[in-house]
């Protein structure tokens, strides 16, 4: 039984992510939790009002959140009729990051699936601010789905790595399950001018091989250049269906998320993007 958590702001992007999630696991027994975190909706406009008005507005927003989530659950059940799937509404008076982290721990969530942008995000940006915050701070694998990306089985998966990270078995198991289910190729892309690997890199590379027995795994090395552009070019040149990266201390992804914006660096989200967390959980 898979436990899948899907945050929603009831936007078209969020609905698209739900549809993508239901397709991925259509043949799997799965619990889907639709979560709406509404603390910002309360604290934002009403932080300066008197306590009585604050509580009144909080209750209005809480009731609205619960009603919309219950409606979403009912509509999803009506559309899918999948006996393998169960759905639950989760209203949360918390920030999005706190709500996701707390619920992921509570229900032992395997994967969070969300849109790349919400209602308020500009069409000119790649990832909305909420998505970037989730990438940075939620200690659970996160799959972000572009709103224009129609569902298809991920037959080609790109996994850039410098082999310096001691991978976590739980996250690699998720990748192995996805690769096995779709009979997918996993391209492990090493961007470096040096062919020889250190002992640490060789050990991590071997662990990667051993942890992905159901993937059609291949190792590719290309010379050093702008890494984001190299990844985007590889996606385009080889028609990749899914990008997988690991967020860890001193990783390329951490550098993108903390020191700049993904848009400034140039990594565009033309395909779904799975971020695996190499952080304590």
């Amino acid at each position: 039984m898979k436990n899948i958590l899907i945050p929603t702001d009831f936007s078209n992007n969020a609905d698209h992510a739900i549809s993508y999630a239901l397709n991925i696991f259509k043949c799997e027994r799965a619990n889907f939790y639709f979560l709406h975190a509404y603390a910002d909706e309360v604290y934002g406009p009403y932080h300066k009002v008197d306590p009585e008005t604050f509580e009144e507005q909080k209750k209005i927003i809480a009731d609205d959140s619960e009603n919309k989530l219950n409606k979403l659950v009912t509509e999803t059940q009506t559309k899918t009729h999948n006996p393998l799937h169960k759905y639950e509404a989760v209203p949360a008076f918390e920030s999005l990051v706190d709500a996701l982290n707390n619920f992921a721990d509570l229900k032992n969530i395997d994967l969070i699936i969300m849109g790349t942008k919400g209602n308020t995000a500009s069409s000119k940006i790649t990832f909305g601010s909420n998505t970037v915050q989730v990438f940075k701070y939620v200690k659970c694998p996160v799959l972000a789905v572009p709103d224009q990306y129609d569902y298809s089985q991920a037959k080609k998966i790109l996994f850039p790595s410098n082999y310096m990270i001691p991978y976590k078995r739980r996250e690699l198991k998720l990748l192995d399950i996805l690769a096995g289910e779709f009979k997918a190729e996993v391209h492990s892309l090493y961007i470096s001018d040096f062919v020889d690997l250190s002992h640490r890199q060789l050990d991590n590379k071997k662990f990667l091989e051993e942890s992905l027995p159901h993937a059609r795994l291949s190792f590719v090395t290309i010379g050093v250049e702008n890494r984001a552009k190299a990844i985007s070019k590889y996606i385009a040149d080889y028609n990749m269906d899914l990008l997988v990266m690991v967020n860890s201390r001193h990783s390329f992804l951490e550098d993108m998320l903390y020191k700049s914006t993904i848009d400034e660096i140039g990594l565009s989200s033309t395909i779904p993007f799975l971020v695996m967390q190499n952080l304590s959980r």
Side-chain angles (χ1 to χ4, degrees):
M1 180 73 78
K2 303 288 190 306
N3 290 319
I4 311 301
L5 180 56
I6 307 177
T8 179
D9 59 359
F10 310 109
S11 64
N12 290 334
N13 288 320
D15 291 343
H16 185 69
I18 290 172
S19 176
Y20 188 91
L22 298 180
N23 273 305
I24 286 183
F25 297 104
K26 64 184 176 183
C27 298
E28 300 276 344
R29 290 173 57 84
N31 296 316
F32 292 93
Y33 299 96
F34 300 149
L35 181 147
H36 177 60
Y38 59 88
D40 289 345
E41 297 171 42
V42 177
Y43 288 128
Y46 304 110
H47 68 287
K48 291 184 179 180
V49 301
D50 60 88
E52 185 176 344
T53 303
F54 179 85
E55 290 301 325
E56 288 175 359
Q57 294 302 322
K58 176 182 172 183
K59 186 178 187 310
I60 290 171
I61 292 171
D63 290 344
D64 183 59
S65 173
E66 186 170 354
N67 290 336
K68 286 181 176 177
L69 283 170
N70 288 334
K71 181 182 178 183
L72 179 60
V73 167
T74 300
E75 289 177 346
T76 305
Q77 289 172 328
T78 302
K79 286 179 185 176
T80 60
H81 296 291
N82 191 331
L84 298 176
H85 293 173
K86 294 182 179 180
Y87 310 97
E88 184 176 324
V90 185
F93 182 53
E94 296 178 278
S95 70
L96 179 61
V97 167
D98 286 344
L100 293 177
N101 269 325
N102 291 336
F103 198 81
D105 284 339
L106 179 66
K107 294 293 185 178
N108 198 26
I109 295 297
D110 296 296
L111 178 64
I112 294 169
I113 301 180
M114 64 189 299
T116 55
K117 294 176 286 189
N119 262 327
T120 58
S122 166
S123 61
K124 296 180 180 179
I125 67 171
T126 301
F127 295 99
S129 58
N130 280 336
T131 307
V132 173
Q133 292 298 305
V134 172
F135 284 163
K136 287 165 78 169
Y137 300 119
V138 173
K139 300 173 184 178
C140 181
V142 179
L143 176 61
V145 184
D147 57 343
Q148 300 300 320
Y149 188 86
D150 292 329
Y151 173 78
S152 63
Q153 291 189 351
K155 295 292 188 181
K156 293 184 178 181
I157 300 173
L158 179 59
F159 184 34
S161 176
N162 60 7
Y163 308 124
M164 294 297 292
I165 301 167
Y167 302 108
K168 293 199 173 183
R169 197 174 297 277
R170 178 187 176 116
E171 277 68 34
L172 288 179
K173 183 178 180 181
L174 171 64
L175 177 57
D176 188 56
I177 289 170
L178 292 175
E181 181 177 341
F182 300 135
K183 297 179 174 58
E185 302 173 8
V186 175
H187 297 215
S188 182
L189 180 65
Y190 179 50
I191 303 172
S192 175
D193 286 331
F194 301 99
V195 177
D196 293 335
L197 302 179
S198 68
H199 291 298
R200 173 186 290 183
Q201 288 174 307
L202 289 170
D203 286 344
N204 289 332
K205 183 178 177 181
K206 182 179 179 182
F207 183 77
L208 180 63
E209 285 185 274
E210 293 171 347
S211 300
L212 298 176
H214 299 100
R216 295 158 60 193
L217 183 61
S218 61
F219 295 96
V220 183
T221 300
I222 62 175
V224 171
E225 53 181 303
N226 180 295
R227 285 174 289 183
K229 289 182 179 179
I231 290 168
S232 295
K233 185 175 186 301
Y234 196 95
I235 289 171
D237 289 349
Y238 294 94
N239 298 314
M240 307 308 291
D241 302 307
L242 175 66
L243 173 63
V244 181
M245 295 181 71
V246 177
N247 184 23
S248 70
R249 298 290 177 259
H250 312 300
S251 68
F252 171 46
L253 181 56
E254 184 193 53
D255 188 57
M256 282 201 302
L257 295 175
Y258 284 85
K259 295 183 180 178
S260 182
T261 69
I262 290 175
D263 297 280
E264 286 172 355
I265 285 189
L267 182 61
S268 59
S269 78
T270 56
I271 60 175
F273 184 17
L274 173 61
V275 174
M276 301 194 295
Q277 304 291 356
N278 199 266
L279 305 166
S280 60
R281 180 178 170 192

